[in-house]
């Protein structure tokens, strides 16, 4: 096993687990204060917003965690897997941000 790939997978997995943890806090603990740009005066449905943002981040974080496992399991494909990691994170953030507009006044 390539140690560099294993370390990269562990770091990637840690980042993915951090995203899943923050998604849990947003979705289930309703901690809207950790949502960037959240303004209580502009939000018409706090529960809908937390479900949307938390759910979207939970999905993208989980996919990225699986990609971290693949980095460790398939060290010859690290570059491709890391590209997918970046794409999933960017798309997840875009979907969360664009979808959150339906909860504004």
């Amino acid at each position: 096993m390539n140690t560099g790939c294993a370390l990269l997978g562990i770091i990637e997995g840690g980042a993915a687990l951090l995203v899943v943890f923050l998604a849990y806090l947003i979705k289930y603990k309703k901690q809207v204060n950790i949502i960037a740009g959240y303004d209580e005066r502009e939000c018409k449905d706090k529960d809908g917003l937390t479900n949307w943002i938390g759910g979207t981040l939970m999905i993208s974080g989980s996919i990225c965690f699986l990609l971290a496992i693949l980095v460790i399991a398939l060290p010859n494909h690290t570059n491709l897997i890391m590209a997918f990691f970046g794409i999933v994170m960017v798309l997840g953030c875009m979907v969360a941000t664009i979808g959150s507009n339906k909860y504004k006044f």
Side-chain angles (χ1 to χ4, degrees):
M1 176 188 291
N2 186 340
T3 354
C5 289
L7 182 60
L8 184 64
I10 291 169
I11 292 170
E12 184 180 345
L17 287 177
L18 178 62
V19 171
V20 170
F21 176 69
L22 292 172
Y24 167 79
L25 291 177
I26 293 169
K27 184 171 177 70
Y28 297 109
K29 298 297 182 180
K30 307 296 182 193
Q31 292 189 11
V32 292
N33 57 328
I34 59 176
I35 298 173
Y38 174 73
D39 185 357
E40 188 174 313
R41 296 169 289 168
E42 292 182 7
C43 184
K44 65 181 177 183
D45 182 7
K46 176 183 163 184
D47 287 334
L49 178 68
T50 56
N51 283 331
W52 177 259
I53 299 285
T56 305
L57 293 179
M58 186 80 65
I59 291 169
S60 59
S62 298
I63 292 170
C64 286
F65 185 74
L66 293 175
L67 289 171
I69 293 170
L70 284 178
V71 165
I72 297 169
L74 303 170
N76 293 333
H77 302 288
T78 300
N79 291 338
L80 180 63
I81 296 168
M82 290 305 295
F84 279 123
F85 180 88
I87 290 168
V88 167
M89 289 308 291
V90 169
L91 286 178
C93 290
M94 287 174 57
V95 167
T97 303
I98 292 169
S100 70
N101 289 327
K102 62 185 167 191
Y103 300 104
K104 291 184 178 179
F105 286 114

